[in-house]
Amino acid sequence: MAKIQSKRNSTKKEVIIEKASRLFREKGFGAASMRDLAEHVGVEAASLYNHIQSKSEILQTICFKVANEFMTNLEAVEASNQTTLKKMEMIIRVHIRMMLEQYEYVYISDHEWRHLPEPYLSNFLNQRRSYRKRLADIIEDGTAKGEMKAIDPYTAVLVILSAISGIDSWQRSRKSTTAEALESNMVRYLIEGLKR
Amino acid sequence: MAKIQSKRNSTKKEVIIEKASRLFREKGFGAASMRDLAEHVGVEAASLYNHIQSKSEILQTICFKVANEFMTNLEAVEASNQTTLKKMEMIIRVHIRMMLEQYEYVYISDHEWRHLPEPYLSNFLNQRRSYRKRLADIIEDGTAKGEMKAIDPYTAVLVILSAISGIDSWQRSRKSTTAEALESNMVRYLIEGLKR
DNA sequence: ATAAATAACTAACAACCGTTAGCGATGGAA
DNA sequence: TTCCATCGCTAACGGTTGTTAGTTATTTAT
């Protein structure tokens, strides 16, 4: 075996995906070229294909990595013994932290998924629909138990997820506010709107 | 003068921009080609240039049309004699309605602005920053007057605008809920989080 | 040391990109 | 009828796209 390890504890494939995530976020998937990417990796464009199969494979990897991470977390939350309000707070906090800590990946999964080729596109959208449905179910459950106000659960899910995904525009503009402050402010606003 | 009017009461340039908005939304600005667009207009790609100057001119037109519409509305609201809470509700409702009625335009202005060439890009971002600042000022004013709870105004602006911009994912998936229901649900959630 | 595997390189392909040049058809104004 | 602006067309430009072929260099395993 030749070296499959780069300087850090990561495969070259992982390095490529990491650099790509930055590039895709900055320029958009369509406008980012493989020659662009290659330059950032420090290699010729053709050499990338020793590690990846195609440009869209990179996008697939990123999108499903993020989707799986959220889904795994949701399952843990669902299985936990918490009030529905607390469950929602846990989910909101994870979303905010993922957005702050894995900004590039989450951003791409949020904004560039339409460039996924079939059948991955359908797969991704199904997974997303299912995720939102299960979130809405938690809220509906909370309303039924009288823990939350009677709000349309789909609207709530929409507001919550969209609000968090909007942190990207904060990322670029308001480095002055700390991440912790943002998280607590946002949780407060979003959870307060759920309490009865 | 030859005919500058199309069948409806709109310039051919307007028809192009309308078709382009659909295309840009579906494929993204970068991935939508002029030949694509020409086909939808029913003309050869080169003929488009009898009516427009460049591909990015279309994007500029759309982005600034939307931005100006929002800015004009904001000025009207600022000048009105209303409680700050009512002002915010008016703004929120206009945003939701614009999103529902001019979906393609608003979506593009929200998501494709990064492909604007300079100096339009800086212009657009300045205008956006100014818009959000003035929104935050209204909220801060409301807090100072005791009409609203003491929430970080930038966080509130972020949550509100992002939540509304997320309606796009509802557009595609939940035609069952009426627009009116969505609007009232969303206003309720967002305004409720502001009340003290 | 030798063989095998891995990953870099150069060159090139076919397709597509936005855009321009130039030409013919059309239709209203004089 | 003559004139001229408008708008459609075809052809083509120079450049970029993702990707493959073929080859060489490098590293690891035996």
Side-chain angles (χ1 to χ4, degrees), chain A residues 80-97:
Chain A
S80 76
N81 285 330
Q82 298 278 352
T83 64
T84 54
L85 207 57
K86 192 68 188 168
K87 282 182 184 172
M88 286 309 296
E89 183 180 332
M90 289 166 70
I91 289 166
I92 290 171
R93 285 193 189 273
V94 165
H95 271 265
I96 294 175
R97 276 180 208 151

Side-chain angles (χ1 to χ4, degrees), chain A residues 26-32 111-112 114-115, chain B residues 16-17 19-37 48-49 52-63 104-105 107-118 120-121:
Chain A
E26 281 176 348
K27 304 200 169 191
F29 179 78
H111 292 86
E112 304 291 332
R114 23 176 109 236
H115 297 102
Chain B
I16 290 174
I17 291 174
K19 297 282 185 188
S21 69
R22 173 82 185 277
L23 206 63
F24 289 177
R25 198 254 313 157
E26 282 176 347
K27 303 200 169 190
F29 178 78
S33 78
M34 295 303 275
R35 288 168 178 86
D36 259 358
L37 174 55
L48 295 173
Y49 289 83
I52 59 160
Q53 284 210 326
S54 67
K55 187 188 181 187
S56 73
E57 189 210 12
I58 302 177
L59 185 62
Q60 292 160 33
T61 305
I62 294 174
C63 287
E104 323 276 351
Y105 286 6
Y107 180 91
I108 290 167
S109 175
D110 265 8
H111 292 87
E112 304 291 332
W113 54 263
R114 26 174 107 234
H115 297 101
L116 285 170
E118 290 290 2
Y120 303 97
L121 178 59

Side-chain angles (χ1 to χ4, degrees), chain A residues 19-29 31-32 40 103-104 107-108 112 172, chain B residues 114-115:
Chain A
K19 298 282 185 188
S21 69
R22 173 84 185 276
L23 208 62
F24 290 177
R25 198 256 311 158
E26 281 176 348
K27 304 200 169 191
F29 179 78
H40 280 85
Y103 173 44
E104 323 276 352
Y107 180 91
I108 290 166
E112 304 291 332
R172 288 187 293 273
Chain B
R114 26 174 107 234
H115 297 101

Side-chain angles (χ1 to χ4, degrees), chain A residues 146-175:
Chain A
E147 294 177 24
M148 298 183 192
K149 74 174 62 162
I151 196 167
D152 174 60
Y154 278 96
T155 304
V157 170
L158 188 63
V159 168
I160 290 169
L161 293 186
S162 306
I164 294 166
S165 131
I167 294 180
D168 61 5
S169 68
W170 170 88
Q171 273 275 30
R172 288 187 293 273
S173 64
R174 303 203 69 245
K175 303 282 185 193

